[in-house]
Amino acid sequence: MAPTARSSLALAEAAPRIDPEAIAFDVDGVIADTMRLFLEIAAEEYGIRGIRYEDITTYNVEDCLDLPGQVIEGLLRRLIYGGYRGDLRPLPGAPEVVRRIAGRAGSVLFVTARPISGPVESFLRRVFPDGAGGFELVATGSFAAKTEILKRRGITHFVEDRLETCFAVDREGIRPVVFAQPWNRQPHPFLEVQSWREIEELIQW
Ligand SMILES: [Mg+2]
């Protein structure tokens, strides 16, 4: 796999532990296995098979997949506005770790750049039918608006899979934690995790 596995553990060991009240999370590609659903919708509704998860090597999928723009647009619209047959599912370990953070911090903050929160809100309610001890979802409608929310909430660390957003929050003094995905394998200077277990390791319990 990617060369980044090199440093993630070393970095994690060297990094200061994170206050559970001061960490927040992106949704797509961090707690939600959004690309898996993207591939399911492509296969089931468009008959597009043979694309592997690892083939998605850029965040803007049109840059790495050889599909007509209209098809990609349709797929993304489907993802954002819902109405697909499949289900958005959590990435392995995410529900347990979110629950543990909520138990310690009282609430967990999710910040998505999606324009509407609906499908993501129902995803979170499905994963945490009991509320998991508290979570809050903010849909900003833009990548740029994420930083402002994080600053206002006193967040020091933000787990994110889109490198450009990581650089943007870093410029504003919030430490990004890159959640490793095939589409963020470019070099970066940030703390990186490969899994929710590694996020758990970073928290000051
Ligand atoms: Mg994301």
Side-chain angles (χ1 to χ4, degrees), residues 18-32 94 97-102 105 107-113 120 124 135-138 146 149-150 155 157-161 177 179 193 195-196 198-200 202-203 205:
I18 302 170
D19 176 353
E21 292 183 26
I23 188 168
F25 303 89
D26 173 40
V27 175
D28 294 302
V30 171
I31 179 174
V97 179
V98 166
R99 215 169 256 288
R100 196 174 169 201
I101 295 172
S107 183
V108 178
L109 176 64
F110 295 102
V111 183
T112 175
V120 165
L124 288 172
F135 66 82
E136 187 189 356
L137 171 67
V138 177
K146 281 185 164 181
I149 298 287
L150 298 172
I155 296 300
H157 290 75
F158 186 55
V159 186
E160 166 70 53
D161 66 320
V177 178
F179 195 91
V193 290
S195 67
W196 276 83
E198 287 190 18
I199 293 174
E200 198 172 22
L202 292 175
I203 307 284
W205 297 111

Side-chain angles (χ1 to χ4, degrees), residues 55-131:
D55 294 334
I56 306 174
T57 54
T58 56
Y59 186 88
N60 295 317
V61 289
E62 62 270 28
D63 296 338
C64 62
L65 300 182
D66 188 19
L67 293 175
Q70 269 179 317
V71 169
I72 288 181
E73 230 174 81
L75 277 166
L76 293 177
R77 204 172 316 118
R78 221 70 173 112
L79 265 185
I80 290 169
Y81 295 101
Y84 32 76
R85 277 199 302 275
D87 265 339
L88 198 51
R89 292 188 292 272
L91 280 156
E96 295 77 10
V97 179
V98 166
R99 215 169 256 288
R100 196 174 169 201
I101 295 172
R104 189 54 71 94
S107 183
V108 178
L109 176 64
F110 295 102
V111 183
T112 175
R114 287 188 184 216
I116 59 160
S117 56
V120 165
E121 181 97 45
S122 29
F123 156 74
L124 288 172
R125 294 202 181 289
R126 189 157 36 77
V127 176
F128 305 114
D130 62 348

